[in-house]
Structures are given as C-alpha cells and as structure tokens.
Amino acid sequence: MKISCEIIKDLLPLYHDNVCSNDSKNLVEEHLAYCDSCKAELQTMDDELLMSHGEQNLNEAEAVKKLSDRWRKGMITSLLKGVLGTLLMIVLIALLLYCFMGFRILPAPV
C-alpha cells in the first residue's frame, strides 16, 4: 500500500519526536524505505534541531537571566521600601503619641 508523501510529511514531526502510535511509526518507516524525498525531510528536521535551536536556546537563556536580575533587583527595592516605610510609620506613631497624647517614656522610680 503506497501512502502519499503529504500524509507522511504530516506524520514526520510526530515520528521525529517519537510520539506517534506504533501503527503510524510502522507506516512512516515503510514509506521512508523507498522515498528519498521524505527521508531528506526527516534529515532536515534533525539538522534544524541541532543548529537553529542552539542559538535560540542561548537567546532565551540570556532573556531569562536578564529577567531574573530585574526581578531580584525589584525584590530588593521592594524590601527596602517596606522596611523604610515601616520604620517611618513607627517613628510617626511614636511622635504623635509623644506630642498629642502626653505619652512619655519615663525612667522607673527608684
């Protein structure tokens, strides 16, 4: 039974990633035994995977590193802002208590 190259070309990515069923795998392998065009297409998939994805992976890794650095700097900035805000609120509350409520920290009588 001869299967058209178009059907095989639809199945080649699944075959290449080894995620097709056994029946599809057998069908593709039978076709590849006599079709040089589809064999060349499968080889092209291997070549593209090895060459083009390496550069893409490096670019993605660099983007993730930059994002991680920005996130870390943002977290440190947020932490410092939170600590500073908390200290200012404590000082403000203490100042209000001191000025308007007559709250004094006095030494204990001897």
Side-chain angles (χ1 to χ4, degrees), residues 22-73:
N22 285 333
D23 290 338
S24 296
K25 180 180 177 182
N26 292 334
L27 190 67
V28 170
E29 288 174 350
E30 287 175 16
H31 183 83
L32 291 175
Y34 65 84
C35 181
D36 292 333
S37 172
C38 291
K39 234 187 271 188
E41 180 130 355
L42 181 63
Q43 184 62 41
T44 302
M45 287 181 186
D46 289 334
D47 293 343
E48 287 177 2
L49 183 65
L50 295 175
M51 297 173 121
S52 68
H53 290 288
E55 184 176 324
Q56 180 182 358
N57 288 342
L58 290 175
N59 291 339
E60 289 174 359
E62 185 64 30
V64 169
K65 185 177 182 321
K66 287 178 183 177
L67 183 62
S68 176
D69 290 342
R70 278 188 19 207
W71 181 80
R72 186 174 57 246
K73 288 177 185 175

Side-chain angles (χ1 to χ4, degrees), residues 23 31 38 53 55 65 75 81 89 95 101 103 110:
D23 290 338
H31 183 83
C38 291
H53 290 288
E55 184 176 324
K65 185 177 182 321
M75 290 297 292
K81 285 180 181 178
M89 289 301 290
L95 185 62
M101 303 286 290
F103 184 76
V110 186

